[in-house]
Amino acid sequence: MIQFFSSPSTGGSPWWPQRLTLQPRLILSLIAICCIPLTGRDVSGKGTTSRPNIVFILADDMGYGDLGCYGRTDIRTPNLDRLASDGVRLTNHYANGAECTPTRAAFLTGRYQQWIGGLECAIGTGNVGRYDDAIRLRETNDLGLPGTETTIAQLLSESGYSTAITGKWHLGYEPKFAPNHHGFQQTFYCIGGGMDYFHYLDTVAGYNLFRDGNPVSGEGHFTDLATEEAIKFLNQQSSDQPFFLYLPYTCPHSPFQGPDDVTADPIPLDSPLWNQGSAPPETYIAMIEHMDQRIGDVLKTLSHNKFDENTVVIFASDNGGTKSARNAPLSGHKGSTFEGGIRVPGIIRWPGKIPPQTTSDLPCLTFDFTRSIAQLAGVSRGDGKPFEGIDIIRAIIDGDNQHDRKLYWRKQRGTKVWKAVRDGQLKYVSEQSPQRTREYLFDLTADVGEQNDLKETHRVDFNRLRESYHHWEKRVRQNRRGKPSTASD
């Protein structure tokens, strides 16, 4: 159901429970009044055809409950809370992967990352493959997002958009995988999974700050550097050309360093600040609050340049939170396919098109944003590989909350494989290793914390979802890169 919420309170208590639920007929009436068709039509309100600008902001390792608008009361996130109030807050939004590299690959290609091969878990620090296919690809210097893959940035660039990435890449260390080879006209990025926020070194002392495939110098906290590059890009734009800004922060990924934690030397390679599961609480809070502040500066820049009305702003996280995050009321953490490892915050604002103070519980994935962006820009793929997501923005505007589809996840690291499929309110989860396999069936409507395993009492549903998962897995991995030519699936 789509629901409209009262305005945020000025105090410290969460605002979203104060809600007014509207009946579907009234929702459609409101939509008819305030919304217009999206693709290829007048979206500017000025009588001329104008494709919307797109800003996609991605947090790194943020937990489902790490924002004020998702229930956290000890972290102040007024800018993201306001973004949610001005648009839609997604309560059933999922990352495509339980770690960062897979989700980023799925977003850029608009397809399950399993099709690509080698990117089912995060690329290891220093360009390390972490499971069989990735290890084989690394041996031939092919571990990354291939240039043969069509990306949303490429499609937008070729159709007349100005495109930029400023933030975390993590889709290949080799120069041939650099984002300037994937449709981004302006690039400034952290090449790997995480780095010292002030000195840009990772845990193997590798330098990570790059532009257009080459290392560059910098000064300051990386959250600030990425933001300033984004603002610079926005200030270069005009109303004559649409733009796509991809702003994937490294925050709040380790190492845990707030904006005031600058040191003369890089933090030691064995510093506990690198431990993803044990952030100092005050530092974790400072990092997220600072990111929220800088996102506010990006939003102010959009407003100052009068881009607001024709700009879609999307915010999400690349995977669930670590043990340092607040994932409540979910179970599990980053790396697993329990809800806490894959369900994340999701916010979309489009003034005049998406009604403010809206919430949607339609289950959706990161690559649904990709499909929506393509629809809004009027671009399509010509490579015979269709987008696999749904147009989530169109669904929200239409009040469509009943998409009949299944959502799939697979993450392998070493010999351990996490699997999952969600179908309606039911979810199948598997944790497989050479020693044992654990399988579960949950009813997420009644048990969002995944505490009550139903596989014995709902055997028909359990077998149906497991069979569906295995059919999907075989299909998307049958021609993966890195697979030995003599091996069978």
Side-chain angles (χ1 to χ4, degrees), residues 165-188:
I165 175 177
T166 169
K168 176 174 173 174
W169 179 237
H170 207 187
L171 284 170
Y173 284 78
E174 305 289 340
K176 63 184 177 181
F177 299 128
N180 53 296
H181 297 309
H182 287 288
F184 290 102
Q185 299 157 10
Q186 297 188 35
T187 74
F188 176 78

mmCIF file with all atom_site columns, all heavy atoms in Angstrom, residues 165-188:
data_model
loop_
_atom_site.group_PDB
_atom_site.id
_atom_site.type_symbol
_atom_site.label_atom_id
_atom_site.label_alt_id
_atom_site.label_comp_id
_atom_site.label_asym_id
_atom_site.label_entity_id
_atom_site.label_seq_id
_atom_site.pdbx_PDB_ins_code
_atom_site.Cartn_x
_atom_site.Cartn_y
_atom_site.Cartn_z
_atom_site.occupancy
_atom_site.B_iso_or_equiv
_atom_site.pdbx_formal_charge
_atom_site.auth_seq_id
_atom_site.auth_comp_id
_atom_site.auth_asym_id
_atom_site.auth_atom_id
_atom_site.pdbx_PDB_model_num
ATOM 1   N N   . ILE A 1 165 ? 30.984 10.391 -12.220 1.00 0.00 ? 165 ILE A N   1
ATOM 2   C CA  . ILE A 1 165 ? 31.058 9.628  -10.979 1.00 0.00 ? 165 ILE A CA  1
ATOM 3   C C   . ILE A 1 165 ? 32.052 10.332 -10.069 1.00 0.00 ? 165 ILE A C   1
ATOM 4   O O   . ILE A 1 165 ? 33.152 10.702 -10.491 1.00 0.00 ? 165 ILE A O   1
ATOM 5   C CB  . ILE A 1 165 ? 31.484 8.161  -11.197 1.00 0.00 ? 165 ILE A CB  1
ATOM 6   C CG1 . ILE A 1 165 ? 31.657 7.454  -9.825  1.00 0.00 ? 165 ILE A CG1 1
ATOM 7   C CG2 . ILE A 1 165 ? 32.741 8.045  -12.028 1.00 0.00 ? 165 ILE A CG2 1
ATOM 8   C CD1 . ILE A 1 165 ? 31.996 5.981  -9.894  1.00 0.00 ? 165 ILE A CD1 1
ATOM 9   N N   . THR A 1 166 ? 31.667 10.516 -8.819  1.00 0.00 ? 166 THR A N   1
ATOM 10  C CA  . THR A 1 166 ? 32.577 11.044 -7.823  1.00 0.00 ? 166 THR A CA  1
ATOM 11  C C   . THR A 1 166 ? 32.318 10.273 -6.538  1.00 0.00 ? 166 THR A C   1
ATOM 12  O O   . THR A 1 166 ? 31.286 10.425 -5.899  1.00 0.00 ? 166 THR A O   1
ATOM 13  C CB  . THR A 1 166 ? 32.416 12.569 -7.644  1.00 0.00 ? 166 THR A CB  1
ATOM 14  O OG1 . THR A 1 166 ? 33.137 12.997 -6.491  1.00 0.00 ? 166 THR A OG1 1
ATOM 15  C CG2 . THR A 1 166 ? 30.972 12.989 -7.555  1.00 0.00 ? 166 THR A CG2 1
ATOM 16  N N   . GLY A 1 167 ? 33.250 9.365  -6.194  1.00 0.00 ? 167 GLY A N   1
ATOM 17  C CA  . GLY A 1 167 ? 33.055 8.498  -5.038  1.00 0.00 ? 167 GLY A CA  1
ATOM 18  C C   . GLY A 1 167 ? 33.740 7.159  -5.226  1.00 0.00 ? 167 GLY A C   1
ATOM 19  O O   . GLY A 1 167 ? 34.818 7.076  -5.806  1.00 0.00 ? 167 GLY A O   1
ATOM 20  N N   . LYS A 1 168 ? 33.093 6.097  -4.771  1.00 0.00 ? 168 LYS A N   1
ATOM 21  C CA  . LYS A 1 168 ? 33.699 4.769  -4.761  1.00 0.00 ? 168 LYS A CA  1
ATOM 22  C C   . LYS A 1 168 ? 33.370 4.001  -6.045  1.00 0.00 ? 168 LYS A C   1
ATOM 23  O O   . LYS A 1 168 ? 32.216 3.924  -6.447  1.00 0.00 ? 168 LYS A O   1
ATOM 24  C CB  . LYS A 1 168 ? 33.209 3.994  -3.537  1.00 0.00 ? 168 LYS A CB  1
ATOM 25  C CG  . LYS A 1 168 ? 33.697 2.557  -3.450  1.00 0.00 ? 168 LYS A CG  1
ATOM 26  C CD  . LYS A 1 168 ? 33.269 1.932  -2.133  1.00 0.00 ? 168 LYS A CD  1
ATOM 27  C CE  . LYS A 1 168 ? 33.583 0.444  -2.078  1.00 0.00 ? 168 LYS A CE  1
ATOM 28  N NZ  . LYS A 1 168 ? 33.295 -0.145 -0.754  1.00 0.00 ? 168 LYS A NZ  1
ATOM 29  N N   . TRP A 1 169 ? 34.364 3.386  -6.648  1.00 0.00 ? 169 TRP A N   1
ATOM 30  C CA  . TRP A 1 169 ? 34.205 2.598  -7.865  1.00 0.00 ? 169 TRP A CA  1
ATOM 31  C C   . TRP A 1 169 ? 34.109 1.113  -7.521  1.00 0.00 ? 169 TRP A C   1
ATOM 32  O O   . TRP A 1 169 ? 33.051 0.522  -7.609  1.00 0.00 ? 169 TRP A O   1
ATOM 33  C CB  . TRP A 1 169 ? 35.358 2.867  -8.817  1.00 0.00 ? 169 TRP A CB  1
ATOM 34  C CG  . TRP A 1 169 ? 35.336 2.090  -10.111 1.00 0.00 ? 169 TRP A CG  1
ATOM 35  C CD1 . TRP A 1 169 ? 36.293 1.260  -10.598 1.00 0.00 ? 169 TRP A CD1 1
ATOM 36  C CD2 . TRP A 1 169 ? 34.299 2.105  -11.102 1.00 0.00 ? 169 TRP A CD2 1
ATOM 37  N NE1 . TRP A 1 169 ? 35.937 0.756  -11.825 1.00 0.00 ? 169 TRP A NE1 1
ATOM 38  C CE2 . TRP A 1 169 ? 34.702 1.252  -12.155 1.00 0.00 ? 169 TRP A CE2 1
ATOM 39  C CE3 . TRP A 1 169 ? 33.061 2.746  -11.194 1.00 0.00 ? 169 TRP A CE3 1
ATOM 40  C CZ2 . TRP A 1 169 ? 33.920 1.034  -13.287 1.00 0.00 ? 169 TRP A CZ2 1
ATOM 41  C CZ3 . TRP A 1 169 ? 32.274 2.517  -12.325 1.00 0.00 ? 169 TRP A CZ3 1
ATOM 42  C CH2 . TRP A 1 169 ? 32.705 1.670  -13.345 1.00 0.00 ? 169 TRP A CH2 1
ATOM 43  N N   . HIS A 1 170 ? 35.219 0.473  -7.173  1.00 0.00 ? 170 HIS A N   1
ATOM 44  C CA  . HIS A 1 170 ? 35.290 -0.920 -6.716  1.00 0.00 ? 170 HIS A CA  1
ATOM 45  C C   . HIS A 1 170 ? 34.763 -1.917 -7.742  1.00 0.00 ? 170 HIS A C   1
ATOM 46  O O   . HIS A 1 170 ? 34.133 -2.918 -7.403  1.00 0.00 ? 170 HIS A O   1
ATOM 47  C CB  . HIS A 1 170 ? 34.548 -1.091 -5.392  1.00 0.00 ? 170 HIS A CB  1
ATOM 48  C CG  . HIS A 1 170 ? 35.081 -2.237 -4.569  1.00 0.00 ? 170 HIS A CG  1
ATOM 49  N ND1 . HIS A 1 170 ? 34.487 -2.664 -3.400  1.00 0.00 ? 170 HIS A ND1 1
ATOM 50  C CD2 . HIS A 1 170 ? 36.164 -3.046 -4.747  1.00 0.00 ? 170 HIS A CD2 1
ATOM 51  C CE1 . HIS A 1 170 ? 35.173 -3.677 -2.897  1.00 0.00 ? 170 HIS A CE1 1
ATOM 52  N NE2 . HIS A 1 170 ? 36.191 -3.928 -3.695  1.00 0.00 ? 170 HIS A NE2 1
ATOM 53  N N   . LEU A 1 171 ? 35.064 -1.643 -9.014  1.00 0.00 ? 171 LEU A N   1
ATOM 54  C CA  . LEU A 1 171 ? 34.655 -2.554 -10.081 1.00 0.00 ? 171 LEU A CA  1
ATOM 55  C C   . LEU A 1 171 ? 35.831 -2.934 -10.964 1.00 0.00 ? 171 LEU A C   1
ATOM 56  O O   . LEU A 1 171 ? 35.655 -3.245 -12.149 1.00 0.00 ? 171 LEU A O   1
ATOM 57  C CB  . LEU A 1 171 ? 33.529 -1.927 -10.916 1.00 0.00 ? 171 LEU A CB  1
ATOM 58  C CG  . LEU A 1 171 ? 32.157 -1.935 -10.237 1.00 0.00 ? 171 LEU A CG  1
ATOM 59  C CD1 . LEU A 1 171 ? 31.162 -1.092 -11.000 1.00 0.00 ? 171 LEU A CD1 1
ATOM 60  C CD2 . LEU A 1 171 ? 31.636 -3.363 -10.073 1.00 0.00 ? 171 LEU A CD2 1
ATOM 61  N N   . GLY A 1 172 ? 37.016 -2.928 -10.378 1.00 0.00 ? 172 GLY A N   1
ATOM 62  C CA  . GLY A 1 172 ? 38.200 -3.359 -11.098 1.00 0.00 ? 172 GLY A CA  1
ATOM 63  C C   . GLY A 1 172 ? 39.361 -2.416 -10.917 1.00 0.00 ? 172 GLY A C   1
ATOM 64  O O   . GLY A 1 172 ? 39.211 -1.197 -11.022 1.00 0.00 ? 172 GLY A O   1
ATOM 65  N N   . TYR A 1 173 ? 40.553 -2.987 -10.637 1.00 0.00 ? 173 TYR A N   1
ATOM 66  C CA  . TYR A 1 173 ? 41.759 -2.193 -10.427 1.00 0.00 ? 173 TYR A CA  1
ATOM 67  C C   . TYR A 1 173 ? 42.516 -1.920 -11.723 1.00 0.00 ? 173 TYR A C   1
ATOM 68  O O   . TYR A 1 173 ? 43.252 -0.948 -11.814 1.00 0.00 ? 173 TYR A O   1
ATOM 69  C CB  . TYR A 1 173 ? 42.700 -2.918 -9.462  1.00 0.00 ? 173 TYR A CB  1
ATOM 70  C CG  . TYR A 1 173 ? 42.301 -2.857 -8.007  1.00 0.00 ? 173 TYR A CG  1
ATOM 71  C CD1 . TYR A 1 173 ? 41.297 -3.676 -7.495  1.00 0.00 ? 173 TYR A CD1 1
ATOM 72  C CD2 . TYR A 1 173 ? 42.947 -2.002 -7.123  1.00 0.00 ? 173 TYR A CD2 1
ATOM 73  C CE1 . TYR A 1 173 ? 40.948 -3.638 -6.160  1.00 0.00 ? 173 TYR A CE1 1
ATOM 74  C CE2 . TYR A 1 173 ? 42.607 -1.947 -5.774  1.00 0.00 ? 173 TYR A CE2 1
ATOM 75  C CZ  . TYR A 1 173 ? 41.606 -2.774 -5.299  1.00 0.00 ? 173 TYR A CZ  1
ATOM 76  O OH  . TYR A 1 173 ? 41.253 -2.732 -3.965  1.00 0.00 ? 173 TYR A OH  1
ATOM 77  N N   . GLU A 1 174 ? 42.368 -2.808 -12.698 1.00 0.00 ? 174 GLU A N   1
ATOM 78  C CA  . GLU A 1 174 ? 43.106 -2.647 -13.951 1.00 0.00 ? 174 GLU A CA  1
ATOM 79  C C   . GLU A 1 174 ? 42.641 -1.373 -14.669 1.00 0.00 ? 174 GLU A C   1
ATOM 80  O O   . GLU A 1 174 ? 41.457 -1.031 -14.643 1.00 0.00 ? 174 GLU A O   1
ATOM 81  C CB  . GLU A 1 174 ? 42.875 -3.851 -14.858 1.00 0.00 ? 174 GLU A CB  1
ATOM 82  C CG  . GLU A 1 174 ? 43.191 -5.194 -14.240 1.00 0.00 ? 174 GLU A CG  1
ATOM 83  C CD  . GLU A 1 174 ? 44.682 -5.416 -14.055 1.00 0.00 ? 174 GLU A CD  1
ATOM 84  O OE1 . GLU A 1 174 ? 45.467 -4.721 -14.732 1.00 0.00 ? 174 GLU A OE1 1
ATOM 85  O OE2 . GLU A 1 174 ? 45.051 -6.281 -13.248 1.00 0.00 ? 174 GLU A OE2 1
ATOM 86  N N   . PRO A 1 175 ? 43.561 -0.656 -15.343 1.00 0.00 ? 175 PRO A N   1
ATOM 87  C CA  . PRO A 1 175 ? 43.182 0.567  -16.054 1.00 0.00 ? 175 PRO A CA  1
ATOM 88  C C   . PRO A 1 175 ? 42.032 0.373  -17.046 1.00 0.00 ? 175 PRO A C   1
ATOM 89  O O   . PRO A 1 175 ? 41.220 1.273  -17.257 1.00 0.00 ? 175 PRO A O   1
ATOM 90  C CB  . PRO A 1 175 ? 44.475 0.976  -16.770 1.00 0.00 ? 175 PRO A CB  1
ATOM 91  C CG  . PRO A 1 175 ? 45.565 0.415  -15.910 1.00 0.00 ? 175 PRO A CG  1
ATOM 92  C CD  . PRO A 1 175 ? 45.028 -0.890 -15.391 1.00 0.00 ? 175 PRO A CD  1
ATOM 93  N N   . LYS A 1 176 ? 41.934 -0.803 -17.644 1.00 0.00 ? 176 LYS A N   1
ATOM 94  C CA  . LYS A 1 176 ? 40.876 -1.029 -18.632 1.00 0.00 ? 176 LYS A CA  1
ATOM 95  C C   . LYS A 1 176 ? 39.486 -1.056 -18.015 1.00 0.00 ? 176 LYS A C   1
ATOM 96  O O   . LYS A 1 176 ? 38.485 -0.966 -18.737 1.00 0.00 ? 176 LYS A O   1
ATOM 97  C CB  . LYS A 1 176 ? 41.128 -2.344 -19.374 1.00 0.00 ? 176 LYS A CB  1
ATOM 98  C CG  . LYS A 1 176 ? 41.092 -3.588 -18.503 1.00 0.00 ? 176 LYS A CG  1
ATOM 99  C CD  . LYS A 1 176 ? 41.438 -4.822 -19.315 1.00 0.00 ? 176 LYS A CD  1
ATOM 100 C CE  . LYS A 1 176 ? 41.486 -6.084 -18.450 1.00 0.00 ? 176 LYS A CE  1
ATOM 101 N NZ  . LYS A 1 176 ? 41.856 -7.278 -19.246 1.00 0.00 ? 176 LYS A NZ  1
ATOM 102 N N   . PHE A 1 177 ? 39.412 -1.190 -16.672 1.00 0.00 ? 177 PHE A N   1
ATOM 103 C CA  . PHE A 1 177 ? 38.120 -1.204 -15.999 1.00 0.00 ? 177 PHE A CA  1
ATOM 104 C C   . PHE A 1 177 ? 37.724 0.156  -15.444 1.00 0.00 ? 177 PHE A C   1
ATOM 105 O O   . PHE A 1 177 ? 36.691 0.289  -14.792 1.00 0.00 ? 177 PHE A O   1
ATOM 106 C CB  . PHE A 1 177 ? 38.129 -2.223 -14.856 1.00 0.00 ? 177 PHE A CB  1
ATOM 107 C CG  . PHE A 1 177 ? 38.369 -3.638 -15.292 1.00 0.00 ? 177 PHE A CG  1
ATOM 108 C CD1 . PHE A 1 177 ? 39.351 -4.405 -14.699 1.00 0.00 ? 177 PHE A CD1 1
ATOM 109 C CD2 . PHE A 1 177 ? 37.606 -4.206 -16.304 1.00 0.00 ? 177 PHE A CD2 1
ATOM 110 C CE1 . PHE A 1 177 ? 39.578 -5.718 -15.096 1.00 0.00 ? 177 PHE A CE1 1
ATOM 111 C CE2 . PHE A 1 177 ? 37.820 -5.515 -16.711 1.00 0.00 ? 177 PHE A CE2 1
ATOM 112 C CZ  . PHE A 1 177 ? 38.817 -6.276 -16.108 1.00 0.00 ? 177 PHE A CZ  1
ATOM 113 N N   . ALA A 1 178 ? 38.527 1.186  -15.649 1.00 0.00 ? 178 ALA A N   1
ATOM 114 C CA  . ALA A 1 178 ? 38.269 2.503  -15.074 1.00 0.00 ? 178 ALA A CA  1
ATOM 115 C C   . ALA A 1 178 ? 36.915 3.046  -15.536 1.00 0.00 ? 178 ALA A C   1
ATOM 116 O O   . ALA A 1 178 ? 36.463 2.763  -16.657 1.00 0.00 ? 178 ALA A O   1
ATOM 117 C CB  . ALA A 1 178 ? 39.383 3.470  -15.458 1.00 0.00 ? 178 ALA A CB  1
ATOM 118 N N   . PRO A 1 179 ? 36.250 3.837  -14.700 1.00 0.00 ? 179 PRO A N   1
ATOM 119 C CA  . PRO A 1 179 ? 34.894 4.309  -15.038 1.00 0.00 ? 179 PRO A CA  1
ATOM 120 C C   . PRO A 1 179 ? 34.827 5.197  -16.273 1.00 0.00 ? 179 PRO A C   1
ATOM 121 O O   . PRO A 1 179 ? 33.761 5.293  -16.888 1.00 0.00 ? 179 PRO A O   1
ATOM 122 C CB  . PRO A 1 179 ? 34.471 5.078  -13.774 1.00 0.00 ? 179 PRO A CB  1
ATOM 123 C CG  . PRO A 1 179 ? 35.722 5.370  -13.024 1.00 0.00 ? 179 PRO A CG  1
ATOM 124 C CD  . PRO A 1 179 ? 36.652 4.241  -13.345 1.00 0.00 ? 179 PRO A CD  1
ATOM 125 N N   . ASN A 1 180 ? 35.925 5.828  -16.665 1.00 0.00 ? 180 ASN A N   1
ATOM 126 C CA  . ASN A 1 180 ? 35.897 6.632  -17.888 1.00 0.00 ? 180 ASN A CA  1
ATOM 127 C C   . ASN A 1 180 ? 35.765 5.753  -19.135 1.00 0.00 ? 180 ASN A C   1
ATOM 128 O O   . ASN A 1 180 ? 35.476 6.260  -20.223 1.00 0.00 ? 180 ASN A O   1
ATOM 129 C CB  . ASN A 1 180 ? 37.145 7.521  -18.005 1.00 0.00 ? 180 ASN A CB  1
ATOM 130 C CG  . ASN A 1 180 ? 38.442 6.752  -17.860 1.00 0.00 ? 180 ASN A CG  1
ATOM 131 O OD1 . ASN A 1 180 ? 38.715 6.198  -16.796 1.00 0.00 ? 180 ASN A OD1 1
ATOM 132 N ND2 . ASN A 1 180 ? 39.252 6.711  -18.911 1.00 0.00 ? 180 ASN A ND2 1
ATOM 133 N N   . HIS A 1 181 ? 35.938 4.439  -18.983 1.00 0.00 ? 181 HIS A N   1
ATOM 134 C CA  . HIS A 1 181 ? 35.698 3.501  -20.086 1.00 0.00 ? 181 HIS A CA  1
ATOM 135 C C   . HIS A 1 181 ? 34.289 2.925  -20.053 1.00 0.00 ? 181 HIS A C   1
ATOM 136 O O   . HIS A 1 181 ? 33.949 2.059  -20.866 1.00 0.00 ? 181 HIS A O   1
ATOM 137 C CB  . HIS A 1 181 ? 36.708 2.359  -20.040 1.00 0.00 ? 181 HIS A CB  1
ATOM 138 C CG  . HIS A 1 181 ? 38.130 2.779  -20.221 1.00 0.00 ? 181 HIS A CG  1
ATOM 139 N ND1 . HIS A 1 181 ? 38.540 3.581  -21.265 1.00 0.00 ? 181 HIS A ND1 1
ATOM 140 C CD2 . HIS A 1 181 ? 39.240 2.537  -19.474 1.00 0.00 ? 181 HIS A CD2 1
ATOM 141 C CE1 . HIS A 1 181 ? 39.840 3.800  -21.173 1.00 0.00 ? 181 HIS A CE1 1
ATOM 142 N NE2 . HIS A 1 181 ? 40.293 3.180  -20.087 1.00 0.00 ? 181 HIS A NE2 1
ATOM 143 N N   . HIS A 1 182 ? 33.480 3.399  -19.110 1.00 0.00 ? 182 HIS A N   1
ATOM 144 C CA  . HIS A 1 182 ? 32.121 2.860  -18.950 1.00 0.00 ? 182 HIS A CA  1
ATOM 145 C C   . HIS A 1 182 ? 31.050 3.937  -19.067 1.00 0.00 ? 182 HIS A C   1
ATOM 146 O O   . HIS A 1 182 ? 29.947 3.771  -18.553 1.00 0.00 ? 182 HIS A O   1
ATOM 147 C CB  . HIS A 1 182 ? 31.998 2.150  -17.605 1.00 0.00 ? 182 HIS A CB  1
ATOM 148 C CG  . HIS A 1 182 ? 32.701 0.831  -17.544 1.00 0.00 ? 182 HIS A CG  1
ATOM 149 N ND1 . HIS A 1 182 ? 32.239 -0.290 -18.205 1.00 0.00 ? 182 HIS A ND1 1
ATOM 150 C CD2 . HIS A 1 182 ? 33.840 0.446  -16.914 1.00 0.00 ? 182 HIS A CD2 1
ATOM 151 C CE1 . HIS A 1 182 ? 33.060 -1.307 -17.976 1.00 0.00 ? 182 HIS A CE1 1
ATOM 152 N NE2 . HIS A 1 182 ? 34.036 -0.885 -17.206 1.00 0.00 ? 182 HIS A NE2 1
ATOM 153 N N   . GLY A 1 183 ? 31.366 5.046  -19.738 1.00 0.00 ? 183 GLY A N   1
ATOM 154 C CA  . GLY A 1 183 ? 30.345 6.055  -20.008 1.00 0.00 ? 183 GLY A CA  1
ATOM 155 C C   . GLY A 1 183 ? 30.392 7.278  -19.121 1.00 0.00 ? 183 GLY A C   1
ATOM 156 O O   . GLY A 1 183 ? 29.578 8.191  -19.297 1.00 0.00 ? 183 GLY A O   1
ATOM 157 N N   . PHE A 1 184 ? 31.310 7.330  -18.161 1.00 0.00 ? 184 PHE A N   1
ATOM 158 C CA  . PHE A 1 184 ? 31.419 8.504  -17.303 1.00 0.00 ? 184 PHE A CA  1
ATOM 159 C C   . PHE A 1 184 ? 32.409 9.497  -17.912 1.00 0.00 ? 184 PHE A C   1
ATOM 160 O O   . PHE A 1 184 ? 33.590 9.193  -18.082 1.00 0.00 ? 184 PHE A O   1
ATOM 161 C CB  . PHE A 1 184 ? 31.868 8.097  -15.894 1.00 0.00 ? 184 PHE A CB  1
ATOM 162 C CG  . PHE A 1 184 ? 30.815 7.347  -15.126 1.00 0.00 ? 184 PHE A CG  1
ATOM 163 C CD1 . PHE A 1 184 ? 30.887 5.964  -14.988 1.00 0.00 ? 184 PHE A CD1 1
ATOM 164 C CD2 . PHE A 1 184 ? 29.745 8.014  -14.552 1.00 0.00 ? 184 PHE A CD2 1
ATOM 165 C CE1 . PHE A 1 184 ? 29.921 5.263  -14.282 1.00 0.00 ? 184 PHE A CE1 1
ATOM 166 C CE2 . PHE A 1 184 ? 28.766 7.327  -13.851 1.00 0.00 ? 184 PHE A CE2 1
ATOM 167 C CZ  . PHE A 1 184 ? 28.849 5.949  -13.712 1.00 0.00 ? 184 PHE A CZ  1
ATOM 168 N N   . GLN A 1 185 ? 31.920 10.672 -18.208 1.00 0.00 ? 185 GLN A N   1
ATOM 169 C CA  . GLN A 1 185 ? 32.755 11.693 -18.838 1.00 0.00 ? 185 GLN A CA  1
ATOM 170 C C   . GLN A 1 185 ? 33.678 12.369 -17.834 1.00 0.00 ? 185 GLN A C   1
ATOM 171 O O   . GLN A 1 185 ? 34.769 12.813 -18.195 1.00 0.00 ? 185 GLN A O   1
ATOM 172 C CB  . GLN A 1 185 ? 31.855 12.723 -19.514 1.00 0.00 ? 185 GLN A CB  1
ATOM 173 C CG  . GLN A 1 185 ? 30.972 12.134 -20.597 1.00 0.00 ? 185 GLN A CG  1
ATOM 174 C CD  . GLN A 1 185 ? 29.737 12.974 -20.864 1.00 0.00 ? 185 GLN A CD  1
ATOM 175 O OE1 . GLN A 1 185 ? 29.615 14.101 -20.361 1.00 0.00 ? 185 GLN A OE1 1
ATOM 176 N NE2 . GLN A 1 185 ? 28.808 12.443 -21.640 1.00 0.00 ? 185 GLN A NE2 1
ATOM 177 N N   . GLN A 1 186 ? 33.248 12.489 -16.593 1.00 0.00 ? 186 GLN A N   1
ATOM 178 C CA  . GLN A 1 186 ? 34.079 13.036 -15.529 1.00 0.00 ? 186 GLN A CA  1
ATOM 179 C C   . GLN A 1 186 ? 34.161 11.994 -14.417 1.00 0.00 ? 186 GLN A C   1
ATOM 180 O O   . GLN A 1 186 ? 33.129 11.454 -13.996 1.00 0.00 ? 186 GLN A O   1
ATOM 181 C CB  . GLN A 1 186 ? 33.521 14.351 -14.994 1.00 0.00 ? 186 GLN A CB  1
ATOM 182 C CG  . GLN A 1 186 ? 33.483 15.463 -16.027 1.00 0.00 ? 186 GLN A CG  1
ATOM 183 C CD  . GLN A 1 186 ? 33.098 16.802 -15.419 1.00 0.00 ? 186 GLN A CD  1
ATOM 184 O OE1 . GLN A 1 186 ? 33.446 17.117 -14.281 1.00 0.00 ? 186 GLN A OE1 1
ATOM 185 N NE2 . GLN A 1 186 ? 32.369 17.611 -16.192 1.00 0.00 ? 186 GLN A NE2 1
ATOM 186 N N   . THR A 1 187 ? 35.371 11.715 -13.932 1.00 0.00 ? 187 THR A N   1
ATOM 187 C CA  . THR A 1 187 ? 35.528 10.682 -12.910 1.00 0.00 ? 187 THR A CA  1
ATOM 188 C C   . THR A 1 187 ? 36.497 11.136 -11.826 1.00 0.00 ? 187 THR A C   1
ATOM 189 O O   . THR A 1 187 ? 37.509 11.787 -12.098 1.00 0.00 ? 187 THR A O   1
ATOM 190 C CB  . THR A 1 187 ? 36.058 9.361  -13.519 1.00 0.00 ? 187 THR A CB  1
ATOM 191 O OG1 . THR A 1 187 ? 37.456 9.501  -13.827 1.00 0.00 ? 187 THR A OG1 1
ATOM 192 C CG2 . THR A 1 187 ? 35.299 8.972  -14.777 1.00 0.00 ? 187 THR A CG2 1
ATOM 193 N N   . PHE A 1 188 ? 36.169 10.785 -10.608 1.00 0.00 ? 188 PHE A N   1
ATOM 194 C CA  . PHE A 1 188 ? 37.027 11.024 -9.440  1.00 0.00 ? 188 PHE A CA  1
ATOM 195 C C   . PHE A 1 188 ? 36.596 9.981  -8.425  1.00 0.00 ? 188 PHE A C   1
ATOM 196 O O   . PHE A 1 188 ? 35.441 9.970  -8.003  1.00 0.00 ? 188 PHE A O   1
ATOM 197 C CB  . PHE A 1 188 ? 36.815 12.440 -8.898  1.00 0.00 ? 188 PHE A CB  1
ATOM 198 C CG  . PHE A 1 188 ? 37.596 12.734 -7.644  1.00 0.00 ? 188 PHE A CG  1
ATOM 199 C CD1 . PHE A 1 188 ? 38.956 13.024 -7.707  1.00 0.00 ? 188 PHE A CD1 1
ATOM 200 C CD2 . PHE A 1 188 ? 36.974 12.730 -6.408  1.00 0.00 ? 188 PHE A CD2 1
ATOM 201 C CE1 . PHE A 1 188 ? 39.677 13.301 -6.544  1.00 0.00 ? 188 PHE A CE1 1
ATOM 202 C CE2 . PHE A 1 188 ? 37.684 12.996 -5.246  1.00 0.00 ? 188 PHE A CE2 1
ATOM 203 C CZ  . PHE A 1 188 ? 39.039 13.288 -5.320  1.00 0.00 ? 188 PHE A CZ  1
#
